[in-house]
Amino acid sequence: MLAIKGFTFLGFGSKDLNFSRTHKTHFSFNKTQKNPGRISMEKGGLDSDGREFKTAEEMWREEVGDESKKTEWYKEGVGYWEGVEASTDGVLGGFGHVSEADIRDSEAFLNGLLSEVLPNAANGQRHLVALDCGSGIGRITKNLLIRYFNEVDLLEPVTHFLETARESLAPENLMVSDMHKATNFFCVPLQEFTPEAGRYDIIWVQWCIGHLTDDDFVSFFTRAKVGLKPGGLFVLKENIARTGGFVLDKEDRSITRSDLYFKELFRQCGLHLHRIKDQNGWPKELFAVKMYALTTDLPKKVHRTRSKVQANRPAIIK
């Protein structure tokens, strides 16, 4: 049960319990580990109660070690967002003012991908379709995707978010041509969703994948590959933990992974990095954010963009 809103959390769900900047965190690393591809899984992490875990495996074993625990994990995750107001400020955890910067950098990232991977898109020779995963109230679809794609499908398990999106994206409420529309509204958890084969040019996954366990992360992307058209790709935009480990939010049942952690999961999914970019102009008290463009085929070159913005530990947001 996942795919929540257009924004899972900044910092820690933007909740003001968080950690002090002076909180000392010591992450362990097994130096005898012989498989460098699993370094991220051997790094430790901590939860929102301040508890430290030696490895991600230890944390997952405790949180979702059996089916009943796993069911409760997803139930509590959706339950948290069912109590949140269906507004931009609500889905952004009280930080609605960052929406403009988010859309701005996402649009620049998307423009680069369309010109590189889908060159026929600019001249209208290709009917473009996108899937907005964890669409929430339709914030990303309305402000970005629907301006570039002829059709956008929305995937969101929180009913009142999706109904708000349906109303907001009704033709009479859009300032786009009749050639662009929101087509399908799927009220389905991300870990249970399987897309129609060959429908999508881009599957956009933003601020929601943190609700999935590692196993369901890999399972989702493996299933979702069939939903891509030839030449299609995934865009994942997410918060990034400062070290090679993770941070677990026990209240909304989500995990913030490190860049290394994500790259290990991408490897397990059989996905390849086409482009990576840091979100710019981001408040320093919040987690850093990265955008990943992922393909099912090995790209000739990975495009990287350096950023002066450094990742942050979760901190009290004043």
Side-chain angles (χ1 to χ4, degrees):
M1 314 188 177
L2 152 280
I4 329 309
K5 77 283 135 263
F7 193 95
T8 302
F9 52 77
L10 296 157
F12 250 27
S14 307
K15 295 178 281 293
D16 57 7
L17 53 90
N18 303 341
F19 292 91
S20 163
R21 288 181 182 275
T22 61
H23 182 86
K24 302 297 182 181
T25 305
H26 302 282
F27 294 98
S28 64
F29 173 62
N30 181 358
K31 293 183 178 180
T32 62
Q33 174 69 19
K34 296 182 179 180
N35 181 358
R38 289 193 57 81
I39 286 177
S40 60
M41 304 307 182
E42 295 299 316
K43 296 281 272 186
L46 70 159
D47 67 20
S48 49
D49 293 329
R51 176 183 174 181
E52 297 183 16
F53 295 91
K54 293 181 179 180
T55 65
E57 182 181 4
E58 177 191 353
M59 182 275 293
W60 287 124
R61 185 167 57 247
E62 177 165 322
E63 295 296 322
V64 295
D66 56 51
E67 281 304 310
S68 63
K69 284 186 175 182
K70 189 173 183 180
T71 298
E72 194 65 17
W73 167 277
Y74 286 121
K75 180 180 178 180
E76 291 181 2
V78 170
Y80 174 86
W81 292 104
E82 286 176 339
V84 171
E85 178 184 85
S87 65
T88 297
D89 210 43
V91 299
L92 295 186
F95 289 83
H97 63 277
V98 305
S99 184
E100 184 177 347
D102 166 52
I103 296 297
R104 180 197 63 224
D105 274 26
S106 291
E107 183 165 14
F109 191 67
L110 177 61
N111 271 316
L113 295 177
L114 292 177
S115 62
E116 294 165 4
V117 182
L118 302 170
N120 292 332
N123 55 26
Q125 294 183 11
R126 180 162 175 153
H127 184 84
L128 296 177
V129 184
L131 174 64
D132 182 359
C133 296
S135 62
I137 62 172
R139 182 184 67 88
I140 298 167
T141 291
K142 187 168 187 175
N143 294 304
L144 176 63
L145 299 180
I146 207 163
R147 294 192 285 113
Y148 287 86
F149 293 85
N150 301 103
E151 296 182 66
V152 182
D153 292 343
L154 288 79
L155 175 64
E156 170 59 52
V158 179
T159 306
H160 73 291
F161 284 174
L162 197 61
E163 288 307 308
T164 298
R166 191 190 301 273
E167 180 179 347
S168 174
L169 294 166
E172 61 270 21
N173 294 326
L174 293 175
M175 297 182 66
V176 294
S177 75
D178 294 339
M179 299 297 292
H180 298 258
K181 62 181 179 178
T183 303
N184 296 304
F185 296 80
F186 301 114
C187 193
V188 181
L190 191 61
Q191 75 277 6
E192 297 177 11
F193 182 75
T194 300
E196 176 185 336
R199 174 164 172 76
Y200 302 109
D201 296 280
I202 285 183
I203 295 178
W204 193 281
V205 185
Q206 180 168 345
W207 285 323
C208 63
I209 204 69
H211 286 275
L212 290 194
T213 66
D214 289 351
D215 288 346
D216 284 336
F217 181 115
V218 174
S219 179
F220 166 71
F221 279 104
T222 301
R223 293 194 314 276
K225 287 179 188 178
V226 303
L228 293 174
K229 295 178 184 177
L233 47 76
F234 295 100
V235 172
L236 176 68
K237 186 168 185 177
E238 265 298 344
N239 294 336
I240 303 296
R242 185 170 185 260
T243 72
F246 60 88
V247 181
L248 169 68
D249 188 330
K250 293 182 71 68
E251 185 174 3
D252 71 3
R253 294 307 200 186
S254 63
I255 177 175
T256 300
R257 298 172 170 98
S258 68
D259 179 58
L260 287 174
Y261 199 143
F262 274 121
K263 288 175 179 175
E264 166 60 15
L265 290 177
F266 297 157
R267 185 193 66 78
Q268 293 181 29
C269 295
L271 295 174
H272 306 282
L273 288 168
H274 173 76
R275 179 180 285 272
I276 310 171
K277 189 177 187 301
D278 295 320
Q279 169 72 41
N280 294 314
W282 213 237
K284 292 182 179 180
E285 69 268 26
L286 305 179
F287 280 119
V289 174
K290 282 184 182 289
M291 292 172 275
Y292 302 92
L294 303 161
T295 67
T296 57
D297 300 316
L298 188 65
K300 295 180 180 179
K301 181 180 180 181
V302 176
H303 304 272
R304 302 175 186 273
T305 303
R306 286 186 176 272
S307 172
K308 295 181 181 179
V309 178
Q310 295 183 347
N312 299 282
R313 294 183 184 181
I316 295 176
I317 299 171
K318 299 181 180 179

